[in-house]
Amino acid sequence: MYSINRLLPIYKKYSLSVILIVFMGFISMAQVIPVETNENAVVLEVSKGKDLKMIYWGKRLANSSEYGQIPTQEKQATDYTGLYCSAYTPAGSRNLLEPAIAVSHADGNRSLDLKYIQHEIQHESDNISLLKITLKDKIYPFQVDLFYRSFYNQDVIEQWAVISHQEKKEVVLHKFASANLTLKASDYYLTQYHGDWAKEMQPEESKLTHGIKTIDTKLGTRANLFLPSVFMISLNEPASEDEGTVMYGALEWSGNFKIDMELDPQNNLRIIGGINNYASEYHLPAGEEFKTPSFLTVMSHNGKGEASRKLHQWARDYKLLDGNGNRLTLLNNWEATYFDFNEQKLFSLLKDTKKLGVDLFLLDDGWFGNEYPRNNDDAGLGDWQANKKKLPNGVSSLVKEASNNDVKFGIWIEPEMVNPESNLYHEHPDWVIKQPERDEYYFRNQLVLDLSNPKVQDFVFGVVDDLFVENPDLAYIKWDCNAVIYNAYTAHLKQQQSHLYIDYVEGLYAVLKRVRDKYPTVPMMLCSGGGGRVDYAALQYFTEFWPSDNTDPLERVFMQWEYSYFYPSISMSCHVTDWGKQALKYKVDVAMMGKLGFDIVINELPKEELEFCQEAVKNYNELKDVIWHGDLYRLVDPKLNDFASLMFVNNEKSEAVMFNYLVNNRYDIKSEMPVKLKGLNPEKRYHIKEVNLFPGTQSWLDSSKTYSGDFLMTIGYNPQVQTSRKSVVLAISEEK
């Protein structure tokens, strides 16, 4: 038995080919294959019949040679198939449960029996190892390679499969999961999310019962609109913030997904996740490969908070574009003007951007279209030329004026979409996803362009490229996606209609890769009418995402809280707008929990409110490094309490920021007891200073006192939140 990470010193000394020889020499002995991280282990076992099983997923053992003893201690009900815990369950042979893969061979036979052939390990860095396991059918020349990439320090594992064959004709893939996991516990508690436009990330927790629970989407684009592809599983009992064993799961895919959770006859939880096979049978020619998207997991034995911090660190280091870098604060014109603006009005807003003190002005929807001007949302999409009436001197005049005001300029686009009222629609109807014989059906008065078509990919890339070629100083892109796919049909694929949902997403990624190859550092916001397209495959190309069009700060406290389980604060765009009845201070304080932006009319602000915003931007610039790159600790859950409290702590535990918000306005509601802080050094002493005070007000808190980290984490600190003091932001710093 050999642990991946125990072999790393061998790898460093010898070449990969030598390592593979060593592994092949030990195949007769190495029937147990552990994938170990700092805290955990996923253990695979090769049975006597060469079936590959997942026999353990949990805390790592000190002695990896003992993993093979785990099954001897389990006295579960009979496994009639020998495949209940299969690492990649095939359909059509002796399996009785939900399969991970189902195919029709070239001769029409639909059976599959995958047997272990070999495995090999690559050491990609001091922190990353990649395990590859080859499975083959005994009868047909059909192969599946399973991959497990482990991130040792973060306890994150990514899994995917590569499917190939050498049959005489194409093989049809009916199901093709990315991961087939097995968990063992007494009980399983699922936390999933649901929502709609402006109601994103609504949590639900339930105990899983026997049978199959499915989380899926069939929307094609904007796939997370109703059900996001992220979830948690608590083992034995519901996990809290700091206690309990919990696994986070997420699919790195921006299209249709399906995650099946089956409680099997032995009371094991089988999790099978990947691309949704709905209307997506894939015809695979001989000699070609089908690679599934990655399915990521992270497990913590110390509650949800630790799992979040591990995932955030992994995301910043390995997945999110420039995750450890900087971000631009901005002023957006949308709520100031909507579609009604001209060059002079925008020039005025550019001056307001400088006055406010943020980095960038973002021009939102409505700047394009001439024959079909974009004066509302029913025309113009697809015609990406500046509207001559609104912008007689083009976008370049705005970019130049931004530079004159010492700020940057960004712009909104929705290049995957088209309005029927557009030149593009009339010139290229074959580029549009729609059934040729059926009535068109619109989502927000628009249809989706067919990104399975390389010509459409070239067009969409050209929308971005032309903007940058004409405006080299363009500094930001907001990429929107507001429609789902109705009447799915592609004129490009002709007979292979079942490839559309998959090829669309692959086409999108191809475009985004071209954009990043040419413009690797330009910040881009991933927007989809809110959180309709948020996943780690897309976030490889974007610096941030738009959580929701609902910017009511009270609603955002809850939404951003739930997003924070899976995504770091540096990735969340949070804007101050006119939504909600709360005071401006409350709105600004809530937006400061992520990547700050403003969507208000600056020149209409009273003097005191403008001064407050300007000072808040200065405060944010001093605190944003801790907020973006620090560890997040959720302190008081707004779902269970009258107020919310959370904090960010830097790696050195010398600086922290604590956010506190009242979420219940009933009479005399307040924070009666101190809040126990987390993540500090118990031996250090800290100053606590209230920031973001409104002009003319003084803090209720005594900033002259110092407290030990031990006191703050054992006894706590009361931010004195109440109805007359609904949001409180505290800067915590080590005493020097």
Side-chain angles (χ1 to χ4, degrees):
M1 303 169 202
Y2 287 87
S3 161
I4 291 176
N5 292 288
R6 291 189 178 203
L7 282 161
L8 297 187
I10 300 175
Y11 178 85
K12 292 175 181 177
K13 186 174 181 181
Y14 301 103
S15 69
L16 178 59
S17 60
V18 173
I19 292 296
L20 296 183
I21 293 171
V22 171
F23 265 101
M24 300 313 295
F26 280 110
I27 280 180
S28 60
M29 299 169 53
Q31 297 302 304
V32 173
I33 310 169
V35 180
E36 291 187 327
T37 61
N38 185 45
E39 297 287 341
N40 299 312
V42 171
V43 183
L44 305 166
E45 180 187 69
V46 182
S47 73
K48 291 181 181 179
K50 298 299 182 181
D51 296 313
L52 183 68
K53 300 181 179 181
M54 182 175 289
I55 63 169
Y56 179 73
W57 190 1
K59 283 187 177 181
R60 190 181 72 164
L61 298 181
N63 184 354
S64 62
S65 66
E66 294 186 302
Y67 288 125
Q69 301 301 315
I70 293 174
T72 67
Q73 301 303 308
E74 297 169 353
K75 307 300 178 184
Q76 296 178 304
T78 301
D79 179 348
Y80 297 100
T81 67
L83 293 174
Y84 283 2
C85 298
S86 173
Y88 203 68
T89 311
S93 54
R94 66 185 191 274
N95 172 52
L96 299 175
L97 304 178
E98 183 66 24
I101 182 170
V103 307
S104 290
H105 295 286
D107 62 2
N109 190 293
R110 299 189 67 159
S111 68
L112 193 60
D113 193 10
L114 297 172
K115 299 297 183 180
Y116 168 86
I117 301 299
Q118 65 182 28
H119 69 278
E120 60 187 66
I121 299 164
Q122 295 181 26
H123 171 56
E124 297 184 341
S125 74
D126 289 341
N127 189 51
I128 308 173
S129 298
L130 179 63
L131 168 65
K132 175 184 177 183
I133 303 177
T134 298
L135 308 175
K136 289 185 178 180
D137 188 89
K138 293 175 65 176
I139 306 300
Y140 292 91
F142 187 92
Q143 177 172 321
V144 176
D145 292 314
L146 300 180
F147 293 85
Y148 300 80
R149 176 175 282 129
S150 55
F151 298 81
Y152 187 84
N153 292 324
Q154 295 79 26
D155 289 315
V156 169
I157 298 176
E158 289 183 300
Q159 302 175 55
W160 68 92
V162 175
I163 302 167
S164 61
H165 71 92
Q166 297 297 331
E167 300 189 24
K168 294 181 179 180
K169 297 181 181 179
E170 67 181 21
V171 167
V172 180
L173 307 181
H174 301 286
K175 190 173 183 182
F176 28 84
S178 297
N180 188 168
L181 316 173
T182 299
L183 291 170
K184 294 176 181 284
S186 59
D187 295 295
Y188 310 90
Y189 293 86
L190 167 68
T191 300
Q192 65 179 96
Y193 296 87
H194 70 96
D196 200 340
W197 178 81
K199 299 177 182 178
E200 290 85 352
M201 290 300 283
Q202 305 297 312
E204 291 180 318
E205 185 171 62
S206 59
K207 183 177 179 179
L208 290 172
T209 57
H210 288 83
I212 298 179
K213 167 73 176 183
T214 298
I215 301 172
D216 76 338
T217 183
K218 304 176 182 70
L219 305 180
T221 59
R222 202 175 173 181
N224 292 329
L225 178 62
F226 300 143
L227 291 171
S229 57
V230 293
F231 64 95
M232 307 177 196
I233 299 290
S234 297
L235 304 185
N236 302 314
E237 59 185 1
S240 66
E241 192 66 24
D242 300 305
E243 295 180 340
T245 297
V246 62
M247 184 214 77
Y248 289 9
L251 184 67
E252 299 177 36
W253 181 248
S254 304
N256 292 347
F257 62 83
K258 184 179 183 182
I259 301 167
D260 291 320
M261 303 174 192
E262 181 175 25
L263 194 55
D264 74 12
Q266 291 184 333
N267 297 316
N268 304 319
L269 182 61
R270 306 173 69 248
I271 302 174
I272 298 174
I275 296 173
N276 197 332
N277 55 324
Y278 163 77
S280 295
E281 291 182 343
Y282 206 87
H283 299 253
L284 184 65
E288 295 188 10
E289 294 183 342
F290 182 90
K291 181 181 178 181
T292 72
S294 294
F295 188 93
L296 76 87
T297 56
V298 60
M299 180 178 285
S300 165
H301 306 284
N302 299 298
K304 299 175 182 178
E306 181 181 83
S308 291
R309 290 186 287 278
K310 290 177 178 180
L311 190 56
H312 293 173
Q313 183 186 359
W314 170 83
R316 289 191 298 261
D317 289 349
Y318 297 107
K319 194 61 62 168
L320 181 65
L321 186 66
D322 195 24
N324 292 303
N326 195 15
R327 294 292 185 271
L328 298 172
T329 54
L330 61 84
L331 174 65
N332 191 4
N333 74 299
W334 180 243
E335 292 196 15
T337 67
Y338 294 99
F339 294 101
D340 183 18
F341 57 81
N342 56 35
E343 187 178 73
Q344 291 306 311
K345 186 179 289 188
L346 295 179
F347 280 4
S348 177
L349 291 174
L350 283 164
K351 290 180 173 60
D352 289 340
T353 307
K354 177 65 174 177
K355 182 192 301 183
L356 180 60
V358 294
D359 303 313
L360 176 136
F361 174 76
L362 172 62
L363 175 59
D364 215 291
D365 196 357
W367 58 270
F368 51 90
N370 286 294
E371 185 174 348
Y372 301 95
R374 184 71 167 175
N375 294 323
N376 48 48
D377 65 9
D378 62 7
L381 277 180
D383 299 346
W384 297 101
Q385 299 81 36
N387 180 277
K388 294 178 181 178
K389 184 176 181 181
K390 295 179 182 179
L391 302 176
N393 298 301
V395 173
S396 59
S397 66
L398 301 174
V399 178
K400 182 178 179 181
E401 184 66 14
S403 180
N404 292 339
N405 283 274
D406 196 26
V407 295
K408 299 179 184 296
F409 183 84
I411 200 164
W412 177 97
I413 56 173
E414 192 176 5
E416 301 166 66
M417 305 293 161
V418 64
N419 288 126
E421 293 297 311
S422 68
N423 285 319
L424 179 68
Y425 178 89
H426 295 302
E427 292 171 6
H428 296 286
D430 57 318
W431 285 10
V432 180
I433 295 176
K434 60 175 183 174
Q435 289 282 350
E437 302 300 326
R438 299 193 184 278
D439 293 339
E440 293 177 359
Y441 194 75
Y442 306 124
F443 197 113
R444 201 176 181 252
N445 303 309
Q446 62 196 59
L447 296 166
V448 182
L449 293 176
D450 182 7
L451 277 176
S452 71
N453 186 338
K455 292 182 179 178
V456 177
Q457 294 175 31
D458 290 342
F459 170 80
V460 173
F461 172 75
V463 172
V464 182
D465 191 41
D466 289 348
L467 281 168
F468 281 112
V469 169
E470 296 170 9
N471 309 282
D473 292 330
L474 187 65
Y476 187 92
I477 294 288
K478 178 181 177 182
W479 185 302
D480 215 339
C481 169
N482 282 297
V484 302
I485 293 178
Y486 294 123
N487 292 321
Y489 179 86
T490 164
H492 169 67
L493 295 175
K494 297 180 181 178
Q495 300 303 313
Q496 301 293 7
Q497 292 300 313
S498 62
H499 290 201
L500 173 59
Y501 284 124
I502 296 172
D503 287 2
Y504 180 92
V505 180
E506 295 291 359
L508 170 65
Y509 293 159
V511 171
L512 292 172
K513 185 178 184 304
R514 288 175 67 184
V515 170
R516 282 308 175 196
D517 285 345
K518 189 168 183 181
Y519 308 103
T521 61
V522 175
M524 293 205 307
M525 180 199 293
L526 174 62
C527 183
S528 191
R533 177 191 279 169
V534 182
D535 64 86
Y536 277 116
L539 283 173
Q540 296 177 93
Y541 305 103
F542 292 85
T543 49
E544 59 221 58
F545 72 92
W546 183 236
S548 177
D549 281 348
N550 186 344
T551 52
D552 181 313
L554 181 59
E555 296 294 336
R556 275 299 189 105
V557 168
F558 290 87
M559 284 184 189
Q560 290 167 206
W561 185 279
E562 300 303 327
Y563 274 117
S564 77
Y565 286 111
F566 301 94
Y567 302 103
S569 59
I570 192 173
S571 69
M572 266 187 267
S573 292
C574 307
H575 289 188
V576 179
T577 76
D578 287 335
W579 279 54
K581 299 178 181 179
Q582 296 76 18
L584 180 64
K585 171 176 164 51
Y586 194 100
K587 297 178 178 182
V588 173
D589 289 352
V590 171
M592 281 180 63
M593 283 195 295
K595 205 232 57 172
L596 178 65
F598 290 82
D599 222 320
I600 55 179
V601 183
I602 300 301
N603 63 12
E604 294 181 2
L605 289 177
K607 179 182 177 183
E608 294 80 3
E609 291 191 349
L610 176 59
E611 290 177 358
F612 169 76
C613 289
Q614 292 170 329
E615 188 64 25
V617 170
K618 293 177 183 177
N619 291 334
Y620 184 71
N621 288 335
E622 293 179 358
L623 301 172
K624 63 186 181 183
D625 184 64
V626 179
I627 297 169
W628 292 347
H629 306 123
D631 284 331
L632 169 63
Y633 294 88
R634 287 174 288 266
L635 308 177
V636 180
D637 190 336
K639 300 187 297 296
L640 305 174
N641 298 275
D642 295 322
F643 71 102
S645 183
L646 57 81
M647 65 186 292
F648 298 91
V649 184
N650 69 357
N651 291 335
E652 297 77 20
K653 301 184 183 298
S654 60
E655 303 287 338
V657 186
M658 182 182 180
F659 294 96
N660 308 273
Y661 310 103
L662 195 71
V663 296
N664 185 340
N665 287 325
R666 296 190 66 188
Y667 174 73
D668 203 30
I669 289 294
K670 57 180 175 291
S671 53
E672 295 182 345
M673 300 298 291
V675 177
K676 293 181 180 180
L677 279 59
K678 300 175 186 177
L680 302 176
N681 185 329
E683 298 179 357
K684 291 183 177 181
R685 297 195 66 82
Y686 295 93
H687 290 282
I688 299 179
K689 178 184 177 182
E690 184 173 358
V691 297
N692 280 17
L693 293 170
F694 203 80
T697 64
Q698 292 184 336
S699 176
W700 293 12
L701 308 176
D702 186 351
S703 61
S704 66
K705 294 182 179 179
T706 63
Y707 305 85
S708 68
D710 177 57
F711 179 91
L712 293 172
M713 293 189 292
T714 304
I715 304 301
Y717 186 86
N718 196 325
Q720 300 189 44
V721 180
Q722 62 180 57
T723 52
S724 61
R725 190 178 150 80
K726 294 180 180 178
S727 64
V728 177
V729 180
L730 303 177
I732 303 168
S733 57
E734 178 186 355
E735 182 182 35
K736 301 297 185 182

